[in-house]
Amino acid sequence: MGKILVTGSVGQIGSDLVPALREKHGNENVIAGVHRTPPGEELKQGPVITVDVTNKSAVENVIKENDVNVIYHLVGVLSATGEKNPELAWKVNMEGLKNVLDLARDHNIERVFWPSSIAAFGPNTPRENTPQLTVMDPNTMYGVTKYAGELLCQYYFSKYGVDVRSLRYPGVISYKALPGGGTTDYSVAIFYEALKNKRYTCYLREDSTLPMMYMPDAIKGTINIMEADPSDIKCRLSYNHTAVSFSPKEITEEIKKHIPEFEISYEPDDRQKIADSWPKVIDDSEARKDWGWEHEFGLSEMTVDMIERLSAKLGIEKPF
Ligand code: AKB
């Protein structure tokens, strides 16, 4: 069996995906690709390799020296950071993806996973029940790289037969690693602040509804699409992939059921404009139909699990 390479392993998704893949395939078969941020103890349970995805020959060496045949290419600069540094977002997100796709083609890599995002949509996209194929006019550099990346994946599939599969992630909520530089990050920060300080100042308006998902569902969907039979993958752009949609006000009400003293205030900043250009609810029925996507966690189940696990992580007494 060839090895699995996960780029961006110290990121929010990678920190949960690498252990899940190692549990399935064995620690030694899953290589955690890292760059600047050093890996924590959990990632060090198996092979860790430092690699810059913008350096094609460095990635090629990792593939050749380790007999890699599956790649989860997670490295990416997210929406808010991308608006502060559009050059960096283009370089990391586009050059990194093009390098991985070229190498997948040249080294007969069996499968590639690449995450797109709800950021691939834009202000003229229908915001309710957003279909998979619709108007795409992203107005952030992150969104531009996600939509262009989807087209590139589809091109490499149809032109070169690269079996690349993709999901449009919504905001992902998790307790292991913090998201960094996204617009949906508030949905994680709110839990930390509710537990630690019982107050949170949110940078989005109270009514900013966005599609969201709890990490165990994101990992399940990611592994399931990669395990699906190639004939079941009918969409080679990227699948809409969601679980719930909620606003800061709605998640606050849910948290307050367990931490009644919790208080929130709102000070919208630049990220509000980004959130306003994204869908509120996306329609992921194609993923459900084609390869059997099903989510498990709704808002209330996720809130209970987050509070339980985060209080254990922070050493704070569980409020229920
Ligand atoms: C972000 O907010 O930038 C990301 C995303 C939705 O892709 N979490």
Side-chain angles (χ1 to χ4, degrees):
M1 173 191 162
K3 300 269 194 302
I4 298 172
L5 170 65
V6 182
T7 72
S9 288
V10 287
Q12 189 199 11
I13 308 276
S15 299
D16 277 275
L17 183 64
V18 170
L21 289 171
R22 283 182 175 161
E23 204 175 311
K24 246 177 134 43
H25 302 282
N27 279 5
E28 65 291 354
N29 292 318
V30 181
I31 302 166
V34 303
H35 186 212
R36 291 216 172 89
T37 314
E41 282 315 307
E42 192 174 25
L43 287 185
K44 288 200 247 164
Q45 304 300 308
V48 176
I49 290 185
T50 301
V51 63
D52 172 1
V53 297
T54 64
N55 182 340
K56 192 170 174 182
S57 58
V59 183
E60 184 163 35
N61 286 340
V62 175
I63 292 173
K64 286 204 293 207
E65 284 163 16
N66 298 279
D67 189 22
V68 169
N69 76 343
V70 173
I71 303 177
Y72 289 79
H73 176 46
L74 302 183
V75 168
V77 172
L78 297 188
S79 54
T81 307
E83 285 315 279
K84 293 202 185 97
N85 196 342
E87 287 290 325
L88 180 75
W90 180 265
K91 187 174 167 62
V92 172
N93 297 3
M94 291 314 297
E95 283 181 28
L97 175 62
K98 172 99 175 13
N99 287 343
V100 167
L101 292 174
D102 282 343
L103 293 167
R105 175 196 60 201
D106 298 344
H107 293 273
N108 292 320
I109 297 291
E110 202 180 298
R111 277 175 203 186
V112 178
F113 175 81
W114 176 75
S116 183
S117 158
I118 52 167
F121 299 113
N124 290 296
T125 303
R127 297 189 72 204
E128 297 283 353
N129 280 328
T130 309
Q132 193 157 287
L133 276 179
T134 183
V135 176
M136 311 286 283
D137 61 343
N139 59 5
T140 61
M141 182 52 95
Y142 175 62
V144 168
T145 65
K146 287 300 174 189
Y147 188 39
E150 289 188 11
L151 292 167
L152 200 63
C153 289
Q154 180 176 253
Y155 181 80
Y156 272 65
F157 171 73
S158 54
K159 176 104 178 157
Y160 305 116
V162 174
D163 188 352
V164 48
R165 301 159 184 216
S166 177
L167 297 173
R168 289 179 183 141
Y169 283 140
V172 177
I173 295 120
S174 66
Y175 57 87
K176 213 177 254 181
L178 285 167
T183 301
T184 57
D185 294 7
Y186 91 84
S187 58
V188 177
I190 196 170
F191 282 99
Y192 280 82
E193 295 309 312
L195 282 167
K196 288 199 294 198
N197 302 319
K198 314 266 182 281
R199 11 182 346 102
Y200 177 61
T201 304
C202 184
Y203 56 79
L204 295 183
R205 275 192 326 265
E206 63 171 19
D207 62 347
S208 299
T209 301
L210 289 168
M212 298 278 184
M213 182 180 287
Y214 195 33
M215 185 61 90
D217 277 333
I219 299 302
K220 181 171 83 166
T222 304
I223 293 180
N224 286 358
I225 191 176
M226 284 295 269
E227 287 181 348
D229 192 88
S231 61
D232 290 335
I233 308 297
K234 315 265 191 255
C235 166
R236 291 292 177 166
L237 279 169
S238 187
Y239 277 99
N240 281 3
H241 186 232
T242 190
V244 288
S245 280
F246 58 76
S247 64
K249 183 163 185 243
E250 285 162 334
I251 194 171
T252 299
E253 278 159 14
E254 204 56 48
I255 293 174
K256 271 167 150 315
K257 288 183 188 163
H258 310 285
I259 310 175
E261 328 80 279
F262 177 52
E263 280 177 26
I264 188 160
S265 53
Y266 298 94
E267 284 176 21
D269 67 16
D270 294 350
R271 288 167 281 190
Q272 184 65 55
K273 195 166 152 254
I274 302 178
D276 287 343
S277 75
W278 290 354
K280 290 173 190 274
V281 180
I282 61 172
D283 171 8
D284 63 0
S285 52
E286 302 280 318
R288 292 174 192 265
K289 177 167 60 72
D290 290 357
W291 48 274
W293 161 239
E294 266 178 342
H295 73 276
E296 189 184 332
F297 289 85
L299 177 57
S300 53
E301 297 84 7
M302 178 200 75
T303 303
V304 169
D305 203 65
M306 258 312 263
I307 291 177
E308 272 186 11
R309 290 176 188 272
L310 200 54
S311 21
K313 176 179 167 181
L314 298 174
I316 293 172
E317 202 185 327
K318 196 169 65 162
F320 48 84

